Amino acid sequence: MSPVIGVLAIQGDVREHARCLEQLDVDVRLVKTAEQLKGIAGLVIPGGESTTMSILAVKNNLFGPLRELRTQIPMYGSCAGLIMLADAISDGRADQETIGGLNITAKRNAFGRQVDSFEIDLHIPAIGEPDYHAVFIRAPLVEAASSAVEVLAAIPADKSLTGTDQVVAVRQGNLMATSFHPEITSDLRIHKYFVDMVRSA
Amino acid sequence: MATDAASTGVTGTTRVKRGMADMLKGGVIMDVVNVEQAKIAEDAGAIAVMALERVPADIRAQGGVARMSDPTMIDEIIQAVSIPVMAKARIGHFVEAQVIQSLGVDYIDESEVLTPADYINHIDKWAFTVPFVCGATNLGEALRRINEGAAMIRSKGEAGTGDVSNATGHIRTIKGEIRRLSSMSKDELYVAAKELQAPYDLVCEVAEKGALPVVLFTAGGIATPADAAMMMQLGADGVFVGSGIFKSGDPIKRANAIVQATLHFDNPDEIAKASRGLGEAMVGINVADIPVPHRLAERGW
């Protein structure tokens, strides 16, 4: 039986994530309420605007159930979703709430504003060759991570203007997150990696 | 133009421009004229704010030439909120657009709400790193704007009225014309392109996908939670609310209510809950009472 994977449908790239998952033979459910979280085997938190997503999750009483669920099922967050899964945020609103679970500090809009959004090829050993074409839009960065966090991908120092590795994809147990947006490219390897996590959970 | 930024990746690509609009889907973009309003919008859950000096209802009431906002005011709003900030340039005014890009706004609206600067040409939007949203009343107009580089389309409606009828008409027209293209055989698309006055390649792309290649929001006259939810049910990816919030009796309540109704657009119980006790809606003007030369939707070509 195909597992049901939820996509948090408050706002953002919901449709694109759903389309990617459907191509991998899972059943997709769009989730806007606590009720709809029941029975899912995994949850994707899409790209979007993390401030808005967080404010609306508070208003719709979703943080409680989401925090409870994060210890039970795999979750994957892209861009705003990475911020939602981070234990700490820098450069966000002081009152911005997150689901947490990933022992990282996420830096919001780490690369600048929209004019600085970019595309780049990344080496990601966990999904194999060839390099993955990653799209970053007002993207966050993993500024700090505890030793429990596995780095899946980084922009290497020689390609980043900071002169240091910039961590852009991480995993810790059942939780994974990327700064970039696999849902708006046709390469399904990131989603497949997550679906495999769900199937083996 | 592609330039190097915080990494050696490529910036200003079509994908990052259109992708930015993708991230706004399902959201409400609110017109704001100062920092205080921008904060109210952000707290209510707006996905972005449009920084401008006068909301359309005031532009209508006060008359005169409406232009780009003061850069200082745009800067202050950029500093005050963490959500994306958009700003308006006059149709065809590429230097206003250059100025707005230099301020670091996230999206430029080449808008019929301001007085046009060029009655023949729109801005060549490919020349910019910052993405553009443009208004359209029908599919042909939308595709001409996309051909010029627009990365997001909003149906126009009639701004500053609080009368949703034109917004309804425009989104229905655009969606209907898309459905019609999808049902055509391939050899009919040449004439369809001619009739739409739109590039053939874009017409084929729309026919095949059954959708625009960019995000489609709706705007112009949305004043209530039910208005916003109706636009979403008609197939909009999100809504712009201009005068409807800050020209109403209780902007904070109304901003929150419109956001909730947009999120739960297919749930009448939630829309009902959002619609309770909002106080006065903006007074509004019936579009039919506005003499034709003063209708903003007819600007743009």
Side-chain angles (χ1 to χ4, degrees):
Chain A
M1 207 178 80
S2 318
V4 178
I5 297 186
V7 179
L8 189 66
I10 293 177
Q11 181 277 315
D13 244 0
V14 177
R15 197 159 67 205
E16 287 72 13
H17 273 294
R19 197 195 54 221
C20 290
L21 292 168
E22 277 159 4
Q23 289 177 63
L24 294 166
D25 289 327
V26 297
D27 289 331
V28 178
R29 182 191 301 166
L30 303 189
V31 174
K32 290 184 185 180
T33 63
E35 190 64 27
Q36 291 163 337
L37 285 168
K38 289 180 186 153
I40 56 173
L43 180 69
V44 172
I45 303 159
E49 204 41 53
S50 71
T51 312
T52 307
M53 222 179 267
S54 170
I55 287 171
L56 292 181
V58 171
K59 288 186 203 293
N60 290 277
N61 304 313
L62 285 168
F63 274 119
L66 283 170
R67 286 183 188 127
E68 201 182 310
L69 207 56
R70 80 162 194 236
T71 59
Q72 299 162 12
I73 62 168
M75 291 190 182
Y76 163 49
S78 70
C79 194
L82 177 143
I83 297 169
M84 289 285 277
L85 289 176
D87 280 342
I89 309 173
S90 67
D91 283 14
R93 285 166 50 117
D95 59 347
Q96 186 166 340
E97 284 197 44
T98 69
I99 301 166
L102 283 174
N103 303 151
I104 59 170
T105 301
K107 185 175 165 60
R108 290 186 72 248
N109 297 342
F111 299 93
R113 300 189 71 87
Q114 170 58 14
V115 290
D116 305 309
S117 293
F118 64 99
E119 304 182 28
I120 196 168
D121 289 328
L122 286 179
H123 180 59
I124 308 179
I127 61 167
E129 298 297 333
D131 282 358
Y132 190 88
H133 189 72
V135 182
F136 292 79
I137 297 169
R138 280 172 55 101
L141 188 63
V142 178
E143 197 174 47
S146 84
S147 56
V149 176
E150 178 190 355
V151 173
L152 297 178
I155 298 175
D158 61 331
K159 286 187 181 165
S160 81
L161 293 192
T162 55
T164 53
D165 284 1
Q166 294 176 309
V167 176
V168 293
V170 292
R171 175 173 177 180
Q172 181 179 354
N174 264 341
L175 305 178
M176 71 174 273
T178 62
S179 301
F180 52 88
H181 292 280
E183 71 276 14
I184 62 175
T185 61
S186 52
D187 191 336
L188 292 174
R189 285 179 293 164
I190 297 284
H191 285 90
K192 183 167 183 312
Y193 181 86
F194 177 65
V195 169
D196 288 345
M197 271 169 68
V198 174
R199 288 186 192 278
S200 60
Chain B
M1 256 166 282
T3 49
D4 280 355
S7 78
T8 47
V10 187
T11 61
T13 61
T14 301
R15 182 141 55 189
V16 300
K17 286 175 173 177
R18 292 181 180 178
M20 162 81 201
D22 277 325
M23 301 315 143
L24 304 176
K25 284 200 301 270
V28 181
I29 299 169
M30 298 183 192
D31 279 3
V32 297
V33 301
N34 56 40
V35 166
E36 187 200 350
Q37 291 185 355
K39 286 185 168 159
I40 290 174
E42 182 176 62
D43 289 343
I47 187 66
V49 291
M50 176 76 69
L52 75 177
E53 249 161 23
R54 293 184 285 172
V55 294
D58 287 334
I59 291 174
R60 230 176 239 301
Q62 294 161 10
V65 174
R67 310 178 177 89
M68 170 186 84
S69 298
D70 185 331
T72 303
M73 174 268 201
I74 297 173
D75 275 343
E76 285 167 0
I77 289 176
I78 288 175
Q79 293 308 318
V81 295
S82 80
I83 54 177
V85 176
M86 301 184 168
K88 288 182 193 286
R90 283 181 265 177
I91 290 174
H93 206 315
F94 52 89
V95 174
E96 282 190 352
Q98 290 164 5
V99 170
I100 295 172
Q101 173 167 285
S102 82
L103 298 177
V105 302
D106 297 293
Y107 239 91
I108 296 179
D109 184 1
E110 186 182 17
S111 177
E112 70 283 359
V113 167
L114 305 183
T115 310
D118 187 331
Y119 281 91
I120 297 166
N121 304 291
H122 280 251
I123 296 170
D124 172 11
K125 293 165 275 285
W126 297 113
F128 290 78
T129 308
V130 67
F132 279 74
V133 54
C134 286
T137 59
N138 57 53
L139 182 59
E141 199 179 356
L143 295 180
R144 288 194 291 281
R145 297 296 85 78
I146 294 166
N147 193 45
E148 295 156 1
M152 175 178 185
I153 293 292
R154 55 173 173 76
S155 62
K156 283 181 181 169
E158 188 57 36
T161 60
D163 177 350
V164 81
S165 62
N166 274 23
T168 311
H170 297 158
I171 188 96
R172 277 195 187 276
T173 300
I174 293 170
K175 287 278 175 186
E177 286 173 327
I178 292 172
R179 283 192 294 272
R180 182 167 159 268
L181 282 189
S182 294
S183 70
M184 284 180 159
S185 66
K186 219 169 165 234
D187 62 349
E188 293 170 330
L189 294 176
Y190 298 102
V191 173
K194 186 191 82 176
E195 286 169 357
L196 288 167
Q197 298 178 48
Y200 173 71
D201 289 346
L202 276 176
V203 168
C204 290
E205 193 182 342
V206 170
E208 200 189 317
K209 273 184 71 179
L212 289 181
V214 304
V215 166
L216 173 63
F217 270 48
T218 187
I222 294 155
T224 71
D227 287 351
M230 179 164 76
M231 294 301 122
M232 297 300 285
Q233 287 197 24
L234 287 171
D237 291 319
V239 296
F240 284 81
V241 185
S243 322
I245 290 169
F246 292 101
K247 284 286 158 190
S248 73
D250 189 341
I252 295 178
K253 248 184 168 171
R254 189 163 292 262
N256 277 284
I258 289 179
V259 169
Q260 278 297 114
T262 304
L263 169 60
H264 298 290
F265 68 89
D266 49 3
N267 184 339
D269 294 339
E270 288 287 342
I271 302 167
K273 212 192 303 173
S275 303
R276 287 176 200 276
L278 296 182
E280 291 285 308
M282 70 179 283
V283 176
I285 316 168
N286 295 312
V287 174
D289 297 337
I290 302 170
V292 173
H294 299 293
R295 293 189 192 165
L296 303 175
E298 288 167 28
R299 294 171 169 175
W301 20 88

